[in-house]
Amino acid sequence: MDLFQQARVDELEKLIKTYQDSYYNGEGEISDEEFDKLWDELKSLDPNNPVLQKVGADSGNFPKAKHRIPMGSQDKAASPDEFMVWAKKNPFEEYIVEYKLDGASIELQYDNGIFVRAVTRGNGIQGDDITANATKMKGVLPNLTINGQLQNFTGGIRGEVIMTHQVHQELYFDKANCRNAANGLMKRKDGNGSQHLCVICYDASFENHDFTNEKEKINWLKECGFDTVSIELCYSPEEVISYRAKVMEEREKLPFDIDGLVIKGLVIDKEDLARTRPEKQIAFKFSLEEAVSILREVEWSESGATYTPVAIFDSVQLAGTTVKRASLVNPNTIRNLGIRIGSHIVVTKRGEIIPKIEGVIPTEDKTEQTKEIFFPKNCTACSSELIDEGTRLYCPNKKCSKRILHRLEKWISVLDIRDFGVTLIGSLFEAGKVSSVLDLYKLTEEDLTPFFLTEKSLSQEKKSLGAEKVIKSLYRKNQVSLSAFIAGFDIEGIGETLVEKLVDAGYSSLEKLLAAKESEIADVNGFGDIMASVLVQGLAENSYEMKELLNTGHISIKEAKEGSLTGKSFCFTGELSIKRSKAELMVKEAGGSVKSSVVKGLSYLVTNDTSSGSSKNKKAASLGIPVIDEKTCMAFFE
């Protein structure tokens, strides 16, 4: 662990201890989501840190008592992907799924069916004895009876002390939320307010009582008269994920707060229950980065030859922003999701960047109307019949005006010829002056002058400084990398980053790329059969123009040269004092490569705030990738 990582670990330890103290002994200072981010970051940097093994500590206002059930914290999953990782390690035939109540944990202890003690969570081994306050709470039974018969039960019953929304709104609206209010009231020395709290139970540990499975345990608690947590049986991880989405939509209607689900196997595992941190159950939490909405329409975004579906849905709040649009990527995404107009959908914004539709929530309301999503059939520019390949809906007409214009714009953009604006390209194209990348290099100042001067100026044979500037700018960029050259020809989905992977794999010249077979390209990291096919076909379609362009001598491909950063890769995030494009160019000119995201094998993540808890910083830390600031990065070029 380097000095930066150790400093961050020390900082995280202090923050977690501070927030744990405020959580257990008063009112929490931050939300669960914010606390979980700190916890997860520390776990990624230092998995065996002692702080992660501790639950917290209560105040010294009450006598201490030991637990009969260890009350440690659970592992957490904040997304379907994280849950699937856990599910693969725990492939149960049946999963019992419970609401994860958002309150304060408590253990009710009974001897031979008689209530003797109530203990808070504390440090997981012992907590505060708040028996006097607990006896006032709704749901705490003085004895355990079924049909009038006292139960021979000695052990502990786990539950959650909660405050309902109604009580919070009527009596404790000055408190930030129900959980904070419940935490404060349950630990008052005078016991005032405990009568406004209730306990909902979800587990039991016993010395002289056996159950067949977890469901039977919950049913027994109900028969005794406890208020119990809602449960659902699921028979696959996918079914659990679907049920979670349904609960996300319904939870606002519940009388109390929940912040996720607890998942475990139906079969009781006494050994796992006795662990400080159970391994065979997990808290599948909700997140600020997830929301449920309703799909209202689908627009089709046209970029060159490709038509991309974009979902429009009721606006939701995700990671502090209002979101109402998300890409549906391609026709297959629509089919695989089974999404329709009117569908209830789960929208995510993973890493606080791009919204995505994760799934569709099945509805039991048979009267709810949904409609099939319309797929365009013909190109809006040339009327050609569109081809639906599943992974792509596109116009196959190579002479389609929209397709040609987009390629021209792409070439100018990739080569960063700034004086050659989009408006000028469009005007030249409409006037029939350019219809290919090759045509750009046939332009003269005389060709461009009419697009800069008025008719009066033209009649006076005035020289156009604008036309002169554009021509100089165009021809000044006479050397480009192979990756920029290929990307400039606007082959669907093939950008500079992908071509750089091909260069790294040995396809370091245009000749080698043109000669490569689909099967060979498919073996390169980042490619596959589909992308390889698209590239090879695209190269074949454009090979003549590519060669002719190089033959003009106006453009040449720079050979990849060894430099001070050869073999090093950089990812830039956040604001820098210089333009990011300039920083990336500096890296490339020194022989290094640039990545758009944090991936395994990345050499450095460059950021304006090395101590932030951003998703990129966290991922870099988890992969052991150095996180450096701009000043450190610039030192590489001195």
Side-chain angles (χ1 to χ4, degrees):
M1 187 181 299
D2 60 28
L3 291 177
F4 160 72
Q5 290 176 322
Q6 185 59 57
R8 182 59 177 164
V9 165
D10 294 342
E11 182 183 11
L12 289 168
E13 286 179 351
K14 293 176 183 177
L15 288 171
I16 288 172
K17 288 176 182 178
T18 299
Y19 293 137
Q20 276 183 330
D21 183 65
S22 66
Y23 177 87
Y24 287 107
N25 302 300
E27 295 190 7
E29 298 176 47
I30 61 174
S31 68
D32 277 2
E33 288 82 4
E34 291 172 304
F35 182 83
D36 286 344
K37 285 183 178 179
L38 296 174
W39 184 279
D40 291 341
E41 185 182 356
L42 179 58
K43 187 176 180 181
S44 68
L45 289 171
D46 188 8
N48 298 315
N49 193 287
V51 170
L52 301 175
Q53 313 308 317
K54 297 179 181 179
V55 176
D58 286 315
S59 66
N61 295 332
F62 295 87
K64 301 298 179 185
K66 288 188 176 182
H67 295 306
R68 294 180 177 179
I69 311 174
M71 296 181 72
S73 58
Q74 299 165 310
D75 277 335
K76 298 181 294 293
S79 69
D81 288 343
E82 290 179 14
F83 170 70
M84 288 300 292
V85 171
W86 175 84
K88 286 180 181 178
K89 297 177 182 177
N90 298 276
F92 301 128
E93 291 184 7
E94 296 170 293
Y95 295 86
I96 189 165
V97 186
E98 307 170 351
Y99 287 166
K100 184 179 182 299
L101 303 164
D102 191 14
S105 295
I106 194 170
E107 180 185 63
L108 307 178
Q109 298 180 359
Y110 288 81
D111 287 342
N112 299 314
I114 306 298
F115 175 61
V116 294
R117 195 175 295 107
V119 187
T120 63
R121 187 178 190 179
N123 63 8
I125 299 172
Q126 68 173 17
D128 285 348
D129 183 341
I130 61 165
T131 304
N133 289 356
T135 55
K136 299 178 182 181
M137 299 175 189
K138 179 185 176 183
V140 177
L141 305 179
N143 50 65
L144 307 181
T145 60
I146 296 178
N147 299 324
Q149 183 175 354
L150 184 68
Q151 297 294 292
N152 182 27
F153 175 88
T154 296
I157 292 171
R158 283 194 67 167
E160 198 87 354
V161 179
I162 66 164
M163 177 180 285
T164 64
H165 296 153
Q166 182 178 351
V167 170
H168 182 253
Q169 291 165 7
E170 292 178 358
L171 301 175
Y172 300 99
F173 49 83
D174 59 320
K175 302 298 182 182
N177 52 52
C178 294
R179 184 195 67 199
N180 281 357
N183 261 290
L185 290 177
M186 66 185 276
K187 295 178 183 177
R188 285 184 62 127
K189 286 292 289 183
D190 58 13
N192 287 340
S194 288
Q195 68 273 19
H196 299 137
L197 305 176
C198 55
V199 175
I200 298 178
C201 298
Y202 53 84
D203 207 349
S205 178
F206 37 85
E207 297 173 11
N208 55 354
H209 198 101
D210 284 322
F211 300 104
T212 304
N213 56 47
E214 294 284 352
K215 186 177 181 180
E216 185 182 307
K217 188 191 297 183
I218 295 292
N219 289 337
W220 177 81
L221 288 170
K222 284 182 181 178
E223 288 184 75
C224 288
F226 287 109
D227 291 329
T228 58
V229 71
S230 175
I231 63 170
E232 181 84 4
L233 274 182
C234 295
Y235 299 94
S236 69
E238 292 76 16
E239 195 174 333
V240 172
I241 292 171
S242 179
Y243 176 67
R244 173 175 176 267
K246 180 182 177 184
V247 173
M248 282 174 59
E249 187 172 30
E250 297 173 348
R251 65 172 167 155
E252 290 185 1
K253 301 174 185 176
L254 296 175
F256 46 78
D257 290 331
I258 63 173
D259 59 353
L261 303 173
V262 175
I263 324 292
K264 51 189 171 183
L266 181 60
V267 177
I268 294 173
D269 191 322
K270 292 183 182 179
E271 184 180 336
D272 194 55
L273 184 64
R275 291 190 177 103
T276 303
R277 193 176 185 87
E279 298 174 0
K280 296 186 179 179
Q281 58 179 273
I282 194 167
F284 194 177
K285 301 196 75 174
F286 303 137
S287 168
L288 289 175
E289 299 172 348
E290 293 177 285
V292 175
S293 187
I294 298 175
L295 181 68
R296 297 302 181 186
E297 62 177 304
V298 171
E299 294 179 354
W300 291 85
S301 173
E302 301 176 27
S303 177
T306 303
Y307 289 69
T308 302
V310 179
I312 314 297
F313 44 83
D314 293 342
S315 61
V316 292
Q317 289 293 314
L318 289 175
T321 60
T322 300
V323 177
K324 59 182 180 180
R325 299 168 63 90
S327 173
L328 283 167
V329 187
N330 56 44
N332 273 356
T333 301
I334 294 174
R335 298 183 183 109
N336 294 338
L337 286 172
I339 194 170
R340 295 167 61 90
I341 304 298
S343 291
H344 291 234
I345 56 176
V346 178
V347 187
T348 66
K349 198 178 182 187
R350 298 293 174 208
E352 303 181 359
I353 304 175
I354 302 173
K356 177 184 177 183
I357 295 177
E358 293 279 359
V360 174
I361 303 172
T363 178
E364 297 175 1
D365 186 354
K366 303 300 181 184
T367 63
E368 197 165 59
Q369 297 295 314
T370 61
K371 296 188 301 183
E372 192 173 340
I373 293 172
F374 166 77
F375 280 48
K377 301 295 183 184
N378 298 94
C379 177
T380 57
C382 68
S383 298
S384 297
E385 186 175 346
L386 300 180
I387 292 179
D388 183 353
E389 290 185 342
T391 56
R392 182 187 177 205
L393 181 67
Y394 68 99
C395 173
N397 181 10
K398 299 175 186 177
K399 297 182 179 180
C400 175
S401 59
K402 180 162 61 64
R403 185 174 180 177
I404 295 170
L405 178 59
H406 190 268
R407 176 170 294 169
L408 293 169
E409 293 172 349
K410 184 68 176 286
W411 178 265
I412 295 298
S413 173
V414 169
L415 269 66
D416 195 23
I417 304 172
R418 298 183 182 181
D419 295 314
F420 216 128
V422 173
T423 302
L424 177 58
I425 297 171
S427 298
L428 289 167
F429 178 74
E430 289 178 9
K433 292 290 185 180
V434 291
S435 60
S436 68
V437 173
L438 188 59
D439 286 342
L440 291 171
Y441 295 89
K442 297 176 182 177
L443 291 170
T444 63
E445 284 187 35
E446 289 72 21
D447 292 326
L448 293 175
T449 296
F451 296 91
F452 287 90
L453 300 182
T454 62
E455 289 187 11
K456 183 178 179 180
S457 296
L458 286 171
S459 65
Q460 296 173 354
E461 297 184 354
K462 288 189 176 182
K463 185 177 178 67
S464 169
L465 295 178
E468 181 183 7
K469 188 176 181 181
V470 167
I471 288 295
K472 286 182 178 179
S473 181
L474 176 67
Y475 288 110
R476 187 181 301 121
K477 213 59 174 288
N478 55 10
Q479 271 201 331
V480 297
S481 65
L482 178 61
S483 57
F485 184 83
I486 300 298
F489 274 85
D490 198 26
I491 300 171
E492 177 64 26
I494 307 298
E496 289 186 71
T497 301
L498 271 179
V499 182
E500 284 172 2
K501 291 183 178 182
L502 292 168
V503 173
D504 292 341
Y507 298 96
S508 54
S509 68
L510 179 62
E511 290 72 22
K512 290 179 180 179
L513 278 177
L514 292 176
K517 299 177 181 178
E518 286 185 21
S519 58
E520 295 170 336
I521 298 294
D523 288 336
V524 176
N525 178 40
F527 284 81
D529 292 339
I530 294 174
M531 193 61 73
S533 176
V534 170
L535 175 64
V536 171
Q537 289 179 30
L539 289 172
E541 289 177 6
N542 294 286
S543 62
Y544 175 78
E545 186 176 356
M546 289 177 174
K547 292 175 181 177
E548 285 296 303
L549 180 58
L550 293 173
N551 288 337
T552 64
H554 296 308
I555 285 288
S556 63
I557 297 174
K558 290 188 292 187
E559 291 185 17
K561 295 180 180 179
E562 293 288 318
S564 60
L565 296 183
T566 297
K568 303 290 185 182
S569 56
F570 293 74
C571 174
F572 292 89
T573 184
E575 294 184 9
L576 304 174
S577 64
I578 62 174
K579 288 188 177 182
R580 187 180 299 182
S581 58
K582 182 177 179 180
E584 292 176 345
L585 182 61
M586 290 171 67
V587 168
K588 291 176 182 178
E589 288 180 343
S593 61
V594 175
K595 308 293 183 184
S596 59
S597 59
V598 178
V599 294
K600 189 175 182 180
L602 181 71
S603 301
Y604 300 98
L605 173 64
V606 185
T607 175
N608 59 346
D609 185 0
T610 58
S611 62
S612 82
S614 70
S615 58
K616 283 187 176 179
N617 279 28
K618 286 169 63 176
K619 188 171 183 182
S622 68
L623 294 173
I625 296 167
V627 182
I628 61 175
D629 58 20
E630 181 183 352
K631 182 178 180 181
T632 304
C633 179
M634 290 300 111
F636 285 114
F637 305 102
E638 294 176 356

